[in-house]
Amino acid sequence: MRTKMNPRVFWGASAIIGLLLATAALAPGASDYVFQHAQAWVIETFGWFYVAAVACFLAFVLFLALGPMGKLKLGPDDSEPDFPYLSWLAMLFAAGMGIGLMYFAVAEPIQHYAAPPEVAPKTFEAAREAMVITFTHWGVHAWAIYAVVGLSLAFFAHRKGLPLTLRSGLYPLLGPRTDGLIGDAVDIFAICGTLFGIATSLGLGVAQINSGLSYLTPLPTSAMVQVGLIVVVMGAATVSVLTGLDKGVRRLSELNLILAVCLMLFVLVVGPTGFLAKALVQNFGLYLDHFFVRTFNLYAYEPRGWMANWTLFYWAWWIAWSPFVGMFIARISRGRTVREFIGGVLLVPTAFTFLWMTVFGNTAIALDMGAAAGAISQAVTADLSTALFHFFEFLPGAAVTSALAVALVAVFFVTSADSGSLVIDTIASGGADDTPVWQRVYWCSLEGLAAALLLLVGGLGALQAATLVAALPFALIMILLAFGLLRQMNADLAGVALQVETPPLAERVKRILAPARRRDIEAQLARHGLPALESVRDALAGEGLETAQVVTETDGAALQVHDPGGRDFAYRLAAVSRPRPAFSALEAPEGRRALEWRLTAQAGHGRRRDVTGFTQAQIVADLLTQLELWRRGDGGAA
C-alpha cells in the first residue's frame, strides 16, 4: 500500500488519539469522570491562560497589521495574489459558515437571555447582554486565533518555501531542529487538537440533525441514533474522498452557502425587519462598549461555572480548530500583504457572523418575549440542539425551513469532515498534498469514531471537555508560532532595508506568479537556476576545487562536488508538479489548472525547499548556505 507520511507524526498522533478513544470505549464511566475532572482542573488552573492568550493573539495581529510589518508580502515581494480581491473575500466569508453558526444562531442568544451571567433573566437587560456575549464569542477574538496560525503557515510556506505544516513556523526559533522530535511534537499536538475540535463540531451537528428529524418524523432523540447519523454522514464523506467527487462537493457547498444566506434573508424579511436593523447597529455599539471588559473578564471575584460552559469552551474550540481554518485561509492568501490578510480575516467573516447572529438571535428573543411567550427559551433550556426548530415554529413554513436546516447541517457536516481529513493528512505527511486516498479515509474515519465514542461516553459534555483539554498544549505552540513569526518578519524588514541601501546588483525581474506553468519554471531554471549553479562552480574552481561540476538532469540541474573522503555534495534544482489542494470545496474556481508547478532545491537527501520565484542571487545564497552546512558536516551529503 502506497504511503506518503511522516511516520513519527502519523503514528504518534494515531497512538495518542487511539489511547484516549480506547479508554473511553473500555471504561466509559471512568473516562467520563476523567474528562470532566480534567476539564475542571484545566479551567481552575489555566482558565486565566486561555483568556490572556486570546487577548494577546488579538493584540499581536493588530500590531502586525498596523506596524511596518504589515507591508510584507505572503510570498516573494513582487508576487501577485492567486485570487481576485472579491473572490478572496468571498472565500473568507465562506470560511465563516459552518455547523457552529447553524447550531448556536438561536441557541446561544436565547440561552444567555434565559440564564445571563450577571443580570436578571428574561429582561431587556438580559436581551442586550445576550447579544453582547454572543458577539464577543463569535467576533474578532476567534478570527485573531485563526489569523495567527494562518499567517504563520502562509508566511513560511509562501515567502520562505517551507512545507505547509505547523512546524515550519518554529524554524526561526529552532532552525533545523524543527525536522526532529520537537517539530514532530508540534504537528502531533496540532493533529490531536484539530481532530477533537472537528469531533466536537460533528457532535453538535448530529445532535441538531437528530433534533430536526425528530421534529419532522417519529425518529427518537438518543445517543444511538446520533451515532447512526455519524456513520451515515461520515460514510458520505468517505465516498467523497474515495471517488474524488471534489467538483460535486464543491457545487453542493456553493448551493449550501446560497441556501444558508437565503434562509437568513427569509428570517430577516418575515421577522421584525425594522427592529433587526436597529438591533444590529446597537449590538455592534454595545460590543465595542464592552469590548475590553469582556476580553479580560474571568469572574475572579465571583466564580461561576458559566465561564467553562461558554467563553473558555469557545476559546479552546477556536484554538483546536485553528490549524484547520488557518491552513484554508493560508492556502488562498498567497500574494496578499500581511495588512490585507489580517484586515480581511478579522473583518469579513466577523461582519457576516454579526449579521447572522442578529437576524436569528434577536428575532428569537423578540418572539420569546412576544408570540412564543417563553416557549423558545424553555425548549432551549431543556435541549440546545432543538433551539432552531422551535424557533421556526413561530415563523411561516416551519416544516420547509426545518427540513432545509437539517439538509444544511448535513452538508456542512460532510464538507467539514472531508476537508478536515485533508488538513490533518497534510500535517501528518509533512506538508505533502498528493497523499494516497487511504490516508485521508483513515483520518476521516478516525474523526467519526472520536465523535461517536465521546457522544456515547458523555454526550456533548465529553466532547466539550476533550476539546478544552486538547487545546491547551496547542495554545502554547501558538505563542511560539507568534514569536517565530515576529522574529522572521523583523529579519525580513532588516533585509529589505539592507537591499535598498546597497547598489542594485541583484537582478530585479518580475517573479513568476502562482500557480506557475511548467514552461514558467523551466524559464526560471534556465534564466536563474543554471547560471547560479555555474557561478558557484566557477567560484569553487577558482579556489582550487576542480571536482565541482554542473550536471543537467531530466527535470532540472545539479551542482555536484566529489569529496575524496566519501562525503560528496549535491545541490539539485528540479521542476516538480503537484495538484492544487482543495481544503474547501469553494477554494478553486471553475477553470483553474488542476496542477501547479514549483522549482525546488534539495541538498543531498535533505528536505526539498520551494525556491519558485528566486533570483539568481537568492539561489546562490541558498546554495552557499547548504555548502557551508556540508563543510561543517551538518548536511548536503549525496
Side-chain angles (χ1 to χ4, degrees):
M1 184 180 293
R2 188 172 69 92
T3 63
K4 191 167 187 179
M5 66 174 78
N6 181 330
R8 296 189 301 269
V9 174
F10 190 100
W11 297 117
S14 297
I16 292 174
I17 295 166
L19 178 63
L20 292 173
L21 296 183
T23 303
L26 296 175
S31 59
D32 183 36
Y33 176 86
V34 170
F35 276 133
Q36 297 303 327
H37 278 71
Q39 174 181 286
W41 178 78
V42 168
I43 291 168
E44 179 67 26
T45 310
F46 295 104
W48 64 270
F49 171 72
Y50 277 124
V51 170
V54 171
C56 289
F57 293 149
L58 179 57
F60 174 69
V61 295
L62 291 175
F63 168 75
L64 295 183
L66 299 176
M69 299 171 193
K71 66 185 180 183
L72 293 173
K73 282 282 189 76
L74 300 178
D77 287 333
D78 53 358
S79 61
E80 296 295 331
D82 282 1
F83 299 96
Y85 193 70
L86 290 179
S87 297
W88 179 67
L89 292 179
M91 286 186 280
L92 290 178
F93 163 84
M97 283 299 300
I99 293 172
L101 284 183
M102 295 296 296
Y103 186 90
F104 288 106
V106 171
E108 180 166 359
I110 283 289
Q111 181 79 347
H112 298 323
Y113 163 71
E118 296 178 13
V119 300
K122 299 186 179 181
T123 61
F124 291 114
E125 290 79 8
R128 285 192 287 266
E129 183 175 271
M131 296 312 300
V132 171
I133 293 170
T134 302
F135 273 31
T136 300
H137 290 162
W138 291 85
V140 294
H141 295 81
W143 286 94
I145 293 170
Y146 296 153
V148 170
V149 176
L151 191 58
S152 176
L153 285 165
F155 191 86
F156 288 102
H158 300 323
R159 189 175 179 89
K160 299 301 173 185
L162 294 177
L164 189 67
T165 187
L166 274 297
R167 71 173 70 203
S168 296
L170 300 182
Y171 199 86
L173 303 178
L174 302 176
R177 284 179 293 172
T178 55
D179 286 334
L181 294 179
I182 297 177
D184 294 338
V186 169
D187 287 343
I188 287 171
F189 284 129
I191 289 172
C192 293
T194 302
L195 188 135
F196 283 111
I198 292 174
T200 300
S201 293
L202 300 185
L204 296 175
V206 294
Q208 193 167 34
I209 293 172
N210 191 182
S211 296
L213 292 176
S214 298
Y215 176 80
L216 297 168
T217 69
L219 187 72
T221 301
S222 69
M224 291 308 299
V225 170
Q226 291 169 11
V227 171
L229 289 171
I230 288 177
V231 172
V232 171
V233 183
M234 293 304 290
T238 303
V239 169
S240 170
V241 173
L242 287 173
T243 58
L245 296 177
D246 291 335
K247 184 175 180 180
V249 172
R250 177 169 68 84
R251 291 299 186 196
L252 191 59
S253 296
E254 290 172 345
L255 176 62
N256 212 41
L257 185 60
I258 292 170
L259 291 177
V261 173
C262 288
L263 185 63
M264 180 185 69
L265 293 176
F266 169 78
V267 175
L268 178 62
V269 171
V270 303
T273 309
F275 164 70
L276 293 177
K278 292 185 287 187
L280 178 62
V281 175
Q282 184 167 330
N283 289 344
F284 183 68
L286 289 170
Y287 169 69
L288 294 179
D289 186 44
H290 291 242
F291 185 83
F292 288 102
V293 172
R294 288 289 168 192
T295 296
F296 296 99
N297 187 30
L298 272 163
Y299 293 107
Y301 297 103
E302 43 185 1
R304 57 193 71 189
W306 184 92
M307 279 295 292
N309 295 328
W310 291 103
T311 303
L312 294 181
F313 164 65
Y314 270 122
W315 289 177
W317 194 20
W318 303 146
I319 289 170
W321 263 83
S322 59
F324 180 15
V325 180
M327 192 170 289
F328 166 65
I329 59 179
R331 275 289 300 120
I332 66 173
S333 299
R334 187 182 192 276
R336 298 285 166 195
T337 65
V338 171
R339 188 170 292 119
E340 278 183 304
F341 177 92
I342 293 173
V345 169
L346 288 187
L347 300 180
V348 174
T350 297
F352 173 76
T353 303
F354 283 179
L355 176 60
W356 179 277
M357 289 297 189
T358 296
V359 169
F360 283 91
N362 276 112
T363 301
I365 291 174
L367 288 172
D368 199 65
M369 286 181 162
I376 297 177
S377 58
Q378 290 175 9
V380 171
T381 301
D383 185 355
L384 281 178
S385 65
T386 66
L388 192 61
F389 306 106
H390 285 287
F391 166 73
F392 284 140
E393 287 180 357
F394 298 94
L395 297 176
V400 175
T401 52
S402 295
L404 179 61
V406 170
L408 287 171
V409 174
V411 176
F412 281 133
F413 194 140
V414 172
T415 54
S416 293
D418 191 1
S419 303
S421 65
L422 177 56
V423 169
I424 292 175
D425 193 30
T426 299
I427 298 172
S429 302
D433 45 37
D434 56 345
T435 56
V437 170
W438 78 264
Q439 290 180 205
R440 192 166 157 189
V441 171
Y442 171 83
W443 293 114
C444 192
S445 303
L446 203 55
E447 290 164 5
L449 181 63
L453 282 177
L454 291 175
L455 275 175
L456 290 175
V457 168
L460 293 177
L463 287 165
Q464 179 174 319
T467 301
L468 199 148
V469 174
L472 181 61
F474 193 69
L476 297 170
I477 291 170
M478 286 183 63
I479 293 174
L480 296 178
L481 292 178
F483 276 110
L485 189 60
L486 186 64
R487 173 176 288 187
Q488 188 59 57
M489 284 185 171
N490 275 324
D492 276 31
L493 284 178
V496 169
L498 185 62
Q499 275 188 356
V500 171
E501 294 168 2
T502 55
L505 299 178
E507 183 180 353
R508 307 295 294 171
V509 296
K510 187 72 173 176
R511 294 185 178 100
I512 306 301
L513 302 182
R517 295 164 295 184
R518 180 168 189 163
R519 66 172 178 264
D520 298 327
I521 298 303
E522 289 173 346
Q524 184 191 356
L525 184 63
R527 184 180 301 172
H528 302 302
L530 273 172
L533 300 181
E534 291 166 352
S535 65
V536 174
R537 177 202 60 195
D538 295 342
L540 292 173
E543 294 297 321
L545 191 58
E546 300 290 348
T547 60
Q549 59 178 337
V550 174
V551 178
T552 301
E553 301 179 338
T554 55
D555 58 351
L559 173 69
Q560 298 177 351
V561 180
H562 176 65
D563 178 16
R567 290 190 65 257
D568 293 347
F569 172 84
Y571 180 91
R572 291 181 174 83
L573 295 173
V576 298
S577 65
R578 62 184 183 187
R580 290 184 62 76
F583 296 132
S584 163
L586 297 179
E587 184 172 340
E590 189 71 29
R592 293 188 70 86
R593 287 185 295 277
L595 294 177
E596 60 180 356
W597 286 82
R598 288 285 183 261
L599 183 64
T600 63
Q602 183 179 31
H605 299 294
R607 183 177 59 187
R608 291 191 179 204
R609 298 177 308 286
D610 190 347
V611 295
T612 307
F614 276 31
T615 63
Q616 179 179 335
Q618 290 173 311
I619 294 174
V620 167
D622 185 63
L623 199 167
L624 292 177
T625 299
Q626 300 305 318
L627 265 174
E628 184 178 0
L629 291 172
W630 169 67
R631 291 293 288 176
R632 294 206 312 255
D634 294 334

